[in-house]
Amino acid sequence: MIYFTSDTHFGDPRVLRIDRRPFSTMADHDAALIANWNAIVGEDDEVWHLGDVISPRGDCAALLDALNGRKHLIIGNNDPETTTAAKGWSSVQAYAEILLDGQHLILCHYAFRTWNKMGKKSIDLHGHSHGRLKPMLRQFDVGVDAQGLRPVTLSELLIGRGTNP
C-alpha cells in the first residue's frame, strides 16, 4: 500500500496554536500522530511525506525509526538538513512524479496552480496549506490538518471528494 501525508510538524508547538490541533501538549500531539500512522501503515507499506516533518530541534532519525513503512521525503519549507539528511529516508527530493494505479501523480510540498500533464488528468498532491486552500479538480492537500491527522491513500482521496480522475 502507498500512503501520503504532510505537515506533521512533530515537536513544533506552533501547530497547537496556529492550526488549533486538539492536543494540550506536544507529547500528546506527537504520540497521537505516531499512533495514527502506525495503526494504518504496515512495515512493508510506502509513505510519501510531502514536507514539514519535525522541529529542527527534534531527532528525525529516531522519529523515522518509530514510524512504520518505507518513507520518502518531499522537502518542505520547514525541513532543515537535520531532517533531509536523517537516516531512515528511502529517498529525499524537492519534487517527484510517480505512476500509481494508472494515475500520474505530481508530488510537491506546495500546491500548484498548474502542473505537468494536468490536461491529461494527472493529480497534484501537496501539503503546506494546512487544509486552508479551496480545493481544485484533481488537486489534494494530503497534510494531516486536512486528512484527519493521518496518512491517506490515493483511493481515499478520490472517494472522499467523489472525484473521477
Side-chain angles (χ1 to χ4, degrees):
M1 195 60 95
I2 298 177
Y3 294 91
F4 303 93
T5 195
S6 182
D7 300 288
T8 48
H9 290 279
F10 288 101
D12 186 347
R14 295 175 305 164
V15 297
L16 299 182
R17 179 178 37 84
I18 296 169
D19 297 313
R20 295 184 177 110
R21 294 189 186 169
F23 305 97
S24 56
T25 68
M26 281 314 297
D28 291 345
H29 170 272
D30 292 356
L33 266 63
I34 290 169
N36 291 351
W37 178 305
N38 288 339
I40 57 173
V41 176
E43 288 298 327
D44 295 326
D45 294 331
E46 280 188 55
V47 179
W48 286 86
H49 195 300
L50 305 190
D52 290 1
V53 178
I54 188 171
S55 164
R57 295 172 301 283
D59 184 344
C60 190
L63 171 67
L64 294 174
D65 194 46
L67 296 170
N68 289 343
R70 292 183 311 279
K71 295 157 283 287
H72 302 273
L73 174 63
I74 300 293
I75 302 167
N77 60 303
N78 288 302
D79 291 323
E81 187 175 348
T82 54
T83 296
T84 61
K87 184 180 177 189
W89 295 115
S90 294
S91 68
V92 176
Q93 57 268 310
Y95 173 93
E97 296 187 26
I98 65 172
L99 190 64
L100 176 61
D101 300 333
Q103 293 292 308
H104 187 90
L105 304 180
I106 309 302
L107 310 178
C108 188
H109 181 63
Y110 306 100
F112 293 122
R113 178 75 176 209
T114 64
W115 54 88
N116 190 31
K117 299 186 181 179
M118 185 177 185
K120 296 184 181 196
K121 298 189 177 186
S122 64
I123 296 172
D124 175 40
L125 302 182
H126 67 89
H128 187 65
S129 60
H130 294 258
R132 293 187 183 108
L133 286 183
K134 180 180 177 185
M136 286 179 56
L137 185 63
R138 294 189 308 277
Q139 183 178 62
F140 299 91
D141 182 346
V142 299
V144 295
D145 296 297
Q147 301 300 332
L149 302 173
R150 64 183 186 84
V152 292
T153 64
L154 179 61
S155 63
E156 287 176 302
L157 293 168
L158 296 175
I159 291 167
R161 181 145 351 132
T163 302
N164 184 3

